Amino acid sequence: MINSPDQFLKDYQQIFNNDNIAKDDLKRITGQLNILFDEAFNMNKDKTSELIASFILGTTNNRLIADKEAYDSYIGHHLETSNYIKSRDINPTFSKQVLANMEIEDFKMAFELDKKILVRLVCVDRLLNNQEFNIENIYFESAGSLINRLTQSNTDWSFLTDLIDKCLRNASSHLDFYYDAEHAIFKGKDVNSRLKSIEKFSVSPEEFLGRIMPNTTNIIQSFIAAGILLCLKPYENYYKQALSIIE
């Protein structure tokens, strides 16, 4: 069932609520995505709409490439993590180690969603540059390949690709990222298969929770928000209200 414009606007407003610690960045990224989505929409309305909607619905040819279940799973885990944090003062078994593990899992799930979003963005990029593409093939490319496609594009995607921490992405995908409770710091190993090298690194909780995590989740939220803006385009009053939030 497709949401009403009223519900779309409410969902959109919720994305920019005061709980988001990087709200200004989220507004900026959403605005830049919206510009590119608008450009693609003006070039090919139907293809652009299907590409963005494929995150939830899949495509006409393949409904299985929809990623709504993955998104719902991430949201469920994220809420569990948030609720665990809120229980800090009343939960006698509250553990920083457990919380850190939950945050790491949150990051891994968020990045997997980022990768699925990158698939759609690569397709939008191909459309913008009048290049052929097949989302069913691009869907199976690695995160590194997708990022390289965007960084090498004639279209500037750096506002989004710069948000992705390559070191943490590699470490978490190989289960080489963990929280060292004794020293109160996140640690990991960056394994570079191409260079056959391994380097240790560390990240402070402040850096991980204050910059890296918000950047990772902002990719998800900005994509959803920019997609909602597309849905609201036919409804002038709703569209103007939504646009005013990020201007």
Side-chain angles (χ1 to χ4, degrees):
M1 179 179 175
I2 298 177
N3 286 342
S4 66
D6 188 62
Q7 186 59 53
F8 270 131
L9 182 60
K10 288 178 181 176
D11 292 343
Y12 179 88
Q13 291 168 332
Q14 184 60 32
I15 291 173
F16 298 96
N17 65 31
N18 291 327
D19 291 338
N20 191 309
I21 64 173
K23 188 163 60 175
D24 288 341
D25 286 339
L26 176 59
K27 289 179 180 180
R28 174 181 56 81
I29 300 160
T30 301
Q32 290 174 292
L33 265 185
N34 184 53
I35 291 171
L36 295 178
F37 285 4
D38 257 351
E39 186 179 340
F41 188 83
N42 291 334
M43 291 176 66
N44 192 316
K45 174 182 176 181
D46 292 338
K47 272 192 177 180
T48 302
S49 298
E50 183 178 42
L51 283 174
I52 306 305
S54 71
F55 183 71
I56 301 297
L57 303 174
T59 63
T60 304
N61 293 332
N62 192 344
R63 297 297 182 191
L64 294 179
I65 64 172
D67 291 306
K68 184 178 184 302
E69 291 84 359
Y71 178 72
D72 289 343
S73 179
Y74 162 72
I75 292 298
H77 186 274
H78 188 68
L79 287 174
E80 284 182 21
T81 305
S82 298
N83 289 334
Y84 189 73
I85 293 171
K86 291 175 183 177
S87 75
R88 181 193 302 263
D89 296 330
I90 59 173
N91 183 355
T93 62
F94 183 88
S95 162
K96 288 185 178 180
Q97 183 67 65
V98 170
L99 175 58
N101 291 342
M102 293 178 77
E103 294 283 9
I104 290 172
E105 186 62 23
D106 229 32
F107 171 79
K108 289 162 64 177
M109 294 178 76
F111 179 73
E112 284 305 311
L113 276 180
D114 287 351
K115 177 182 176 295
K116 296 175 188 300
I117 286 168
L118 288 173
V119 169
R120 278 76 188 183
L121 299 185
V122 165
C123 292
V124 169
D125 179 74
R126 303 286 290 183
L127 180 60
L128 288 170
N129 289 284
N130 294 304
Q131 297 171 325
E132 293 294 322
F133 63 89
N134 184 331
I135 189 172
E136 293 180 53
N137 291 335
I138 294 173
Y139 190 84
F140 295 101
E141 292 189 15
S142 68
S145 173
L146 296 168
I147 293 168
N148 285 339
R149 280 183 178 270
L150 294 180
T151 55
Q152 294 168 9
S153 170
N154 292 326
T155 303
D156 185 6
W157 292 92
S158 61
F159 69 91
L160 190 136
T161 55
D162 286 350
L163 300 176
I164 300 170
D165 190 297
K166 183 179 179 181
C167 188
L168 243 67
R169 169 173 66 85
N170 290 341
S172 64
S173 66
H174 293 97
L175 303 180
D176 285 327
F177 187 62
Y178 64 96
Y179 181 68
D180 181 343
E182 182 180 353
H183 299 97
I185 198 165
F186 291 92
K187 293 182 177 181
K189 290 192 298 184
D190 184 13
V191 179
N192 190 315
S193 301
R194 184 174 60 85
L195 298 177
K196 302 292 189 295
S197 66
I198 302 175
E199 292 185 7
K200 290 185 176 181
F201 67 90
S202 60
V203 179
S204 70
E206 293 77 16
E207 174 79 355
F208 181 64
L209 299 175
R211 183 186 68 83
I212 294 170
M213 274 297 293
N215 281 349
T216 307
T217 57
N218 274 349
I219 293 175
I220 302 167
Q221 292 180 304
S222 62
F223 178 82
I224 299 293
I228 291 175
L229 279 172
L230 269 188
C231 294
L232 290 177
K233 278 179 74 71
Y235 309 97
E236 185 177 359
N237 288 336
Y238 288 98
Y239 183 70
K240 285 182 177 179
Q241 287 183 66
L243 208 56
S244 68
I245 293 176
I246 60 173
E247 290 179 336

